[in-house]
Short mmCIF file of all heavy atoms in Angstrom, two decimals:
data_model
loop_
_atom_site.label_atom_id
_atom_site.label_comp_id
_atom_site.label_asym_id
_atom_site.label_seq_id
_atom_site.Cartn_x
_atom_site.Cartn_y
_atom_site.Cartn_z
N LEU A 336 -5.01 16.73 -21.69
CA LEU A 336 -4.68 17.15 -20.30
C LEU A 336 -4.21 18.57 -20.26
O LEU A 336 -4.51 19.21 -19.25
CB LEU A 336 -3.55 16.22 -19.86
CG LEU A 336 -3.88 15.03 -18.93
CD1 LEU A 336 -2.67 14.23 -18.57
CD2 LEU A 336 -4.61 15.55 -17.65
N LYS A 337 -3.47 19.02 -21.25
CA LYS A 337 -2.98 20.34 -21.31
C LYS A 337 -4.08 21.41 -21.06
O LYS A 337 -3.88 22.40 -20.40
CB LYS A 337 -2.28 20.56 -22.65
CG LYS A 337 -1.43 21.86 -22.70
CD LYS A 337 -0.60 21.90 -23.99
CE LYS A 337 0.00 23.28 -24.01
NZ LYS A 337 0.95 23.45 -25.13
N GLU A 338 -5.24 21.10 -21.53
CA GLU A 338 -6.37 21.96 -21.39
C GLU A 338 -6.75 22.23 -19.94
O GLU A 338 -7.51 23.14 -19.59
CB GLU A 338 -7.52 21.64 -22.27
CG GLU A 338 -7.33 21.86 -23.67
CD GLU A 338 -8.18 21.15 -24.67
OE1 GLU A 338 -9.25 20.57 -24.19
OE2 GLU A 338 -7.88 21.08 -25.85
N GLU A 339 -6.35 21.31 -19.09
CA GLU A 339 -6.78 21.40 -17.68
C GLU A 339 -5.85 22.32 -16.87
O GLU A 339 -6.01 22.46 -15.71
CB GLU A 339 -6.88 20.04 -17.07
CG GLU A 339 -7.92 19.18 -17.78
CD GLU A 339 -8.26 17.88 -17.04
OE1 GLU A 339 -8.29 17.89 -15.87
OE2 GLU A 339 -8.42 16.84 -17.78
N PHE A 340 -4.84 22.78 -17.51
CA PHE A 340 -3.85 23.67 -16.85
C PHE A 340 -4.07 25.15 -17.31
O PHE A 340 -4.46 25.33 -18.45
CB PHE A 340 -2.43 23.30 -17.09
CG PHE A 340 -2.06 21.97 -16.45
CD1 PHE A 340 -2.38 20.77 -17.07
CD2 PHE A 340 -1.34 21.95 -15.25
CE1 PHE A 340 -2.01 19.54 -16.43
CE2 PHE A 340 -1.03 20.80 -14.67
CZ PHE A 340 -1.38 19.54 -15.25
N ASP A 341 -3.87 26.07 -16.40
CA ASP A 341 -3.93 27.52 -16.83
C ASP A 341 -2.76 27.71 -17.86
O ASP A 341 -2.82 28.56 -18.70
CB ASP A 341 -3.78 28.41 -15.60
CG ASP A 341 -5.01 28.30 -14.71
OD1 ASP A 341 -6.06 27.75 -15.20
OD2 ASP A 341 -4.99 28.74 -13.56
N SER A 342 -1.62 27.14 -17.47
CA SER A 342 -0.41 27.38 -18.30
C SER A 342 0.46 26.12 -18.29
O SER A 342 0.78 25.62 -17.15
CB SER A 342 0.28 28.67 -17.89
OG SER A 342 1.65 28.40 -17.76
N LEU A 343 0.72 25.62 -19.41
CA LEU A 343 1.61 24.39 -19.46
C LEU A 343 2.53 24.52 -20.65
O LEU A 343 2.17 24.70 -21.73
CB LEU A 343 0.74 23.14 -19.65
CG LEU A 343 1.45 21.85 -19.83
CD1 LEU A 343 2.34 21.47 -18.67
CD2 LEU A 343 0.43 20.73 -20.17
N ASP A 344 3.89 24.50 -20.28
CA ASP A 344 4.85 24.52 -21.35
C ASP A 344 5.83 23.34 -21.25
O ASP A 344 5.95 22.74 -20.17
CB ASP A 344 5.75 25.82 -21.24
CG ASP A 344 4.95 27.03 -21.39
OD1 ASP A 344 4.33 27.12 -22.53
OD2 ASP A 344 4.92 27.90 -20.57
N PHE A 345 6.49 23.04 -22.34
CA PHE A 345 7.46 21.99 -22.34
C PHE A 345 8.76 22.59 -22.65
O PHE A 345 8.90 23.48 -23.51
CB PHE A 345 7.13 20.91 -23.44
CG PHE A 345 5.82 20.26 -23.10
CD1 PHE A 345 4.61 20.56 -23.80
CD2 PHE A 345 5.76 19.27 -22.10
CE1 PHE A 345 3.43 19.98 -23.46
CE2 PHE A 345 4.57 18.66 -21.71
CZ PHE A 345 3.38 18.97 -22.45
N GLU A 346 9.80 22.16 -21.92
CA GLU A 346 11.12 22.78 -22.07
C GLU A 346 12.26 21.77 -22.12
O GLU A 346 12.05 20.65 -21.51
CB GLU A 346 11.33 23.64 -20.80
CG GLU A 346 12.60 24.45 -20.76
CD GLU A 346 12.68 25.14 -19.43
OE1 GLU A 346 11.88 26.12 -19.15
OE2 GLU A 346 13.59 24.80 -18.67
N GLU A 347 13.16 21.98 -23.01
CA GLU A 347 14.25 20.93 -23.01
C GLU A 347 15.23 21.12 -21.96
O GLU A 347 15.70 22.21 -21.72
CB GLU A 347 14.97 20.98 -24.35
CG GLU A 347 15.88 19.81 -24.53
CD GLU A 347 16.37 19.56 -26.00
OE1 GLU A 347 15.78 20.28 -26.92
OE2 GLU A 347 17.27 18.72 -26.18
N GLU A 348 15.56 20.05 -21.31
CA GLU A 348 16.53 20.15 -20.18
C GLU A 348 17.75 19.36 -20.62
O GLU A 348 17.63 18.33 -21.30
CB GLU A 348 15.92 19.47 -18.99
CG GLU A 348 16.69 19.59 -17.61
CD GLU A 348 16.49 20.91 -16.94
OE1 GLU A 348 15.33 21.22 -16.59
OE2 GLU A 348 17.48 21.67 -16.75
N LYS A 349 18.92 19.78 -20.16
CA LYS A 349 20.12 19.01 -20.48
C LYS A 349 20.14 17.74 -19.59
O LYS A 349 19.64 17.75 -18.45
CB LYS A 349 21.35 19.81 -20.18
CG LYS A 349 21.54 20.97 -21.15
CD LYS A 349 23.09 21.37 -21.13
CE LYS A 349 23.37 22.15 -22.36
NZ LYS A 349 22.52 23.33 -22.56
N ILE A 350 20.78 16.65 -20.07
CA ILE A 350 20.77 15.44 -19.28
C ILE A 350 21.45 15.73 -17.93
O ILE A 350 21.05 15.26 -16.86
CB ILE A 350 21.58 14.35 -20.06
CG1 ILE A 350 20.77 13.86 -21.25
CG2 ILE A 350 21.98 13.24 -19.15
CD1 ILE A 350 21.33 12.82 -22.04
N LEU A 351 22.44 16.57 -18.01
CA LEU A 351 23.36 16.91 -16.81
C LEU A 351 22.44 17.60 -15.77
O LEU A 351 22.61 17.36 -14.53
CB LEU A 351 24.43 17.83 -17.27
CG LEU A 351 25.58 17.96 -16.33
CD1 LEU A 351 26.23 16.63 -16.22
CD2 LEU A 351 26.62 18.99 -16.91
N THR A 352 21.49 18.39 -16.19
CA THR A 352 20.65 19.15 -15.25
C THR A 352 19.35 18.48 -14.83
O THR A 352 18.57 18.96 -14.13
CB THR A 352 20.43 20.63 -15.68
OG1 THR A 352 19.77 20.55 -16.93
CG2 THR A 352 21.66 21.43 -15.82
N ASN A 353 19.23 17.26 -15.45
CA ASN A 353 18.03 16.53 -15.16
C ASN A 353 18.29 15.30 -14.29
O ASN A 353 17.61 14.37 -14.27
CB ASN A 353 17.40 16.00 -16.53
CG ASN A 353 15.93 15.73 -16.37
OD1 ASN A 353 15.21 16.30 -15.56
ND2 ASN A 353 15.50 14.71 -17.17
N ARG A 354 19.40 15.41 -13.60
CA ARG A 354 19.90 14.21 -12.93
C ARG A 354 19.12 13.72 -11.79
O ARG A 354 18.98 12.57 -11.60
CB ARG A 354 21.40 14.51 -12.48
CG ARG A 354 22.32 13.70 -13.26
CD ARG A 354 23.67 13.76 -12.70
NE ARG A 354 24.29 15.04 -12.86
CZ ARG A 354 25.41 15.46 -12.27
NH1 ARG A 354 26.04 14.60 -11.46
NH2 ARG A 354 25.93 16.60 -12.51
N ILE A 355 18.45 14.64 -11.12
CA ILE A 355 17.61 14.21 -10.00
C ILE A 355 16.45 13.24 -10.47
O ILE A 355 16.28 12.15 -9.97
CB ILE A 355 17.10 15.38 -9.15
CG1 ILE A 355 18.29 16.02 -8.44
CG2 ILE A 355 16.05 14.93 -8.11
CD1 ILE A 355 17.93 17.02 -7.36
N ALA A 356 15.73 13.80 -11.51
CA ALA A 356 14.71 12.95 -12.11
C ALA A 356 15.25 11.64 -12.67
O ALA A 356 14.64 10.60 -12.43
CB ALA A 356 13.94 13.75 -13.11
N ARG A 357 16.32 11.68 -13.24
CA ARG A 357 16.99 10.52 -13.94
C ARG A 357 17.33 9.53 -12.85
O ARG A 357 17.11 8.32 -12.94
CB ARG A 357 18.24 10.86 -14.74
CG ARG A 357 17.96 11.79 -15.92
CD ARG A 357 19.23 12.01 -16.73
NE ARG A 357 19.67 10.84 -17.49
CZ ARG A 357 19.32 10.57 -18.70
NH1 ARG A 357 18.49 11.38 -19.36
NH2 ARG A 357 19.72 9.46 -19.28
N ASP A 358 17.95 9.97 -11.78
CA ASP A 358 18.39 9.06 -10.70
C ASP A 358 17.17 8.35 -10.00
O ASP A 358 17.30 7.17 -9.67
CB ASP A 358 19.32 9.75 -9.71
CG ASP A 358 20.70 9.96 -10.38
OD1 ASP A 358 20.86 9.59 -11.47
OD2 ASP A 358 21.53 10.56 -9.62
N ILE A 359 16.20 9.18 -9.83
CA ILE A 359 14.97 8.54 -9.10
C ILE A 359 14.37 7.51 -10.05
O ILE A 359 14.08 6.42 -9.61
CB ILE A 359 13.97 9.64 -8.75
CG1 ILE A 359 14.61 10.65 -7.71
CG2 ILE A 359 12.68 9.02 -8.11
CD1 ILE A 359 13.69 11.82 -7.43
N ALA A 360 14.27 7.86 -11.33
CA ALA A 360 13.67 6.91 -12.23
C ALA A 360 14.54 5.63 -12.34
O ALA A 360 14.02 4.56 -12.38
CB ALA A 360 13.58 7.58 -13.68
N LYS A 361 15.80 5.79 -12.38
CA LYS A 361 16.73 4.69 -12.39
C LYS A 361 16.49 3.79 -11.18
O LYS A 361 16.61 2.55 -11.31
CB LYS A 361 18.17 5.21 -12.50
CG LYS A 361 18.83 4.87 -13.82
CD LYS A 361 20.24 5.25 -13.80
CE LYS A 361 20.47 6.56 -14.47
NZ LYS A 361 21.86 7.15 -14.29
N SER A 362 16.37 4.37 -10.05
CA SER A 362 16.28 3.56 -8.88
C SER A 362 15.14 2.65 -8.84
O SER A 362 15.08 1.65 -8.07
CB SER A 362 16.33 4.55 -7.57
OG SER A 362 14.98 5.06 -7.42
N VAL A 363 14.05 3.00 -9.63
CA VAL A 363 12.95 2.09 -9.58
C VAL A 363 13.24 0.68 -9.98
O VAL A 363 12.85 -0.31 -9.34
CB VAL A 363 11.82 2.68 -10.56
CG1 VAL A 363 10.67 1.75 -10.64
CG2 VAL A 363 11.31 3.98 -10.07
N LEU A 364 13.96 0.48 -11.13
CA LEU A 364 14.26 -0.83 -11.56
C LEU A 364 15.51 -1.40 -10.78
O LEU A 364 15.53 -2.46 -10.38
CB LEU A 364 14.65 -0.77 -13.03
CG LEU A 364 13.52 -0.30 -13.94
CD1 LEU A 364 13.95 -0.36 -15.41
CD2 LEU A 364 12.32 -1.13 -13.74
N ARG A 365 16.48 -0.51 -10.56
CA ARG A 365 17.66 -1.05 -9.94
C ARG A 365 17.37 -1.60 -8.53
O ARG A 365 17.86 -2.61 -8.11
CB ARG A 365 18.68 0.21 -9.81
CG ARG A 365 20.13 -0.33 -9.28
CD ARG A 365 20.87 0.91 -8.99
NE ARG A 365 20.33 1.73 -8.00
CZ ARG A 365 20.31 3.07 -8.05
NH1 ARG A 365 21.05 3.72 -9.00
NH2 ARG A 365 19.68 3.80 -7.18
N ASP A 366 16.52 -0.87 -7.80
CA ASP A 366 16.22 -1.35 -6.46
C ASP A 366 14.88 -2.02 -6.26
O ASP A 366 14.43 -2.19 -5.17
CB ASP A 366 16.36 -0.08 -5.43
CG ASP A 366 17.69 0.57 -5.62
OD1 ASP A 366 18.65 0.01 -6.12
OD2 ASP A 366 17.68 1.84 -5.39
N GLY A 367 14.29 -2.24 -7.45
CA GLY A 367 12.94 -2.93 -7.36
C GLY A 367 11.87 -2.12 -6.65
O GLY A 367 11.05 -2.63 -5.94
N ARG A 368 11.95 -0.82 -6.82
CA ARG A 368 10.94 0.05 -6.16
C ARG A 368 9.74 0.25 -7.07
O ARG A 368 9.49 1.31 -7.57
CB ARG A 368 11.48 1.41 -5.81
CG ARG A 368 12.76 1.37 -4.95
CD ARG A 368 13.36 2.75 -4.80
NE ARG A 368 14.74 2.73 -4.24
CZ ARG A 368 15.00 2.68 -2.99
NH1 ARG A 368 14.01 2.58 -2.14
NH2 ARG A 368 16.25 2.60 -2.63
N PHE A 369 8.93 -0.80 -7.20
CA PHE A 369 7.82 -0.78 -8.13
C PHE A 369 6.55 -0.14 -7.56
O PHE A 369 5.65 0.12 -8.29
CB PHE A 369 7.45 -2.19 -8.62
CG PHE A 369 8.60 -2.77 -9.43
CD1 PHE A 369 9.36 -3.77 -8.99
CD2 PHE A 369 8.86 -2.17 -10.67
CE1 PHE A 369 10.37 -4.41 -9.78
CE2 PHE A 369 9.91 -2.74 -11.44
CZ PHE A 369 10.66 -3.83 -10.96
N GLN A 370 6.57 0.11 -6.33
CA GLN A 370 5.41 0.71 -5.69
C GLN A 370 5.31 2.23 -6.07
O GLN A 370 6.30 2.90 -5.98
CB GLN A 370 5.49 0.65 -4.16
CG GLN A 370 4.34 0.09 -3.53
CD GLN A 370 4.53 -0.08 -2.05
OE1 GLN A 370 5.36 0.59 -1.51
NE2 GLN A 370 3.90 -1.10 -1.46
N SER A 371 4.14 2.64 -6.42
CA SER A 371 4.10 4.04 -6.76
C SER A 371 4.21 4.89 -5.42
O SER A 371 3.82 4.44 -4.39
CB SER A 371 2.80 4.42 -7.52
OG SER A 371 1.72 4.44 -6.63
#
Side-chain angles (χ1 to χ4, degrees):
L336 259 179
K337 193 172 171 176
E338 283 163 18
E339 299 189 37
F340 290 82
D341 291 344
S342 132
L343 171 63
D344 293 306
F345 297 103
E346 184 182 293
E347 188 166 353
E348 186 82 60
K349 289 201 164 52
I350 288 179
L351 201 60
T352 54
N353 200 31
R354 251 191 285 172
I355 291 195
R357 295 182 73 92
D358 284 359
I359 298 172
K361 248 186 256 171
S362 77
V363 172
L364 299 182
R365 188 190 54 216
D366 308 336
R368 303 176 194 275
F369 292 111
Q370 228 175 30
S371 74

